[in-house]
Amino acid sequence: MILFFDIQPSHKRLEYNQTLTCQQCGHFGRFEVYVMANRFRLFFIPLFTFGKRYAVRTTCCDSLYQLTPEKGKAIEKGQTATITADDLTVQELGTRATTKECQHCGHTQARGSNFCSHCGQSL
């Protein structure tokens, strides 16, 4: 007898919209909330899900955060919830979170720079 089973990661975007001014890049964007889990499948039929966790991605700089399970469950149930900084744990900073633009010439600079490497103006 041959059994076909596997464990496959799954993720699903939840219906949630909250606009923000990003703490990392300073741009205007919104949060996208995802539920991620692992699924045990037998003969390609999903039987149960385990290891559920919630993630938040910002649309402005693609920074990735882990969301608290309580807030994630409330959003998944469709309840009105507002995500605060206390609910998030930084997982990965996006590309625009580690750079900024010079206000004089528009050249991209590393965060923490005091002067533009292109035009020499103070940032």
Side-chain angles (χ1 to χ4, degrees):
M1 180 174 184
I2 298 175
L3 290 175
F4 291 105
F5 67 92
D6 68 345
I7 296 173
Q8 183 178 23
S10 68
H11 67 279
K12 179 178 118 179
R13 184 174 170 206
L14 301 176
E15 291 294 323
Y16 182 78
N17 286 316
Q18 179 180 333
T19 56
L20 72 133
T21 301
C22 186
Q23 298 287 333
Q24 303 299 328
C25 69
H27 289 88
F28 188 71
R30 62 184 168 82
F31 286 133
E32 290 181 345
V33 180
Y34 294 88
V35 59
M36 299 179 299
N38 294 312
R39 286 190 178 151
F40 179 80
R41 300 186 315 168
L42 181 63
F43 293 109
F44 309 107
I45 299 170
L47 294 180
F48 59 89
T49 303
F50 63 96
K52 189 183 282 190
R53 59 198 183 283
Y54 300 93
V56 174
R57 186 183 73 85
T58 59
T59 58
C60 52
C61 63
D62 289 332
S63 293
L64 187 65
Y65 301 91
Q66 184 173 349
L67 184 62
T68 58
E70 299 82 23
K71 193 71 71 155
K73 287 176 187 175
I75 292 170
E76 189 175 20
K77 291 179 183 177
Q79 299 172 353
T80 303
T82 302
I83 297 174
T84 62
D86 297 333
D87 299 324
L88 301 173
T89 305
V90 176
Q91 296 297 310
E92 179 181 323
L93 293 179
T95 56
R96 288 180 68 187
T98 57
T99 61
K100 61 182 174 181
E101 291 181 6
C102 176
Q103 296 175 352
H104 302 282
C105 67
H107 195 264
T108 303
Q109 304 296 318
R111 270 223 191 262
S113 300
N114 293 327
F115 296 94
C116 176
S117 62
H118 187 257
C119 69
Q121 294 291 325
S122 175
L123 299 173

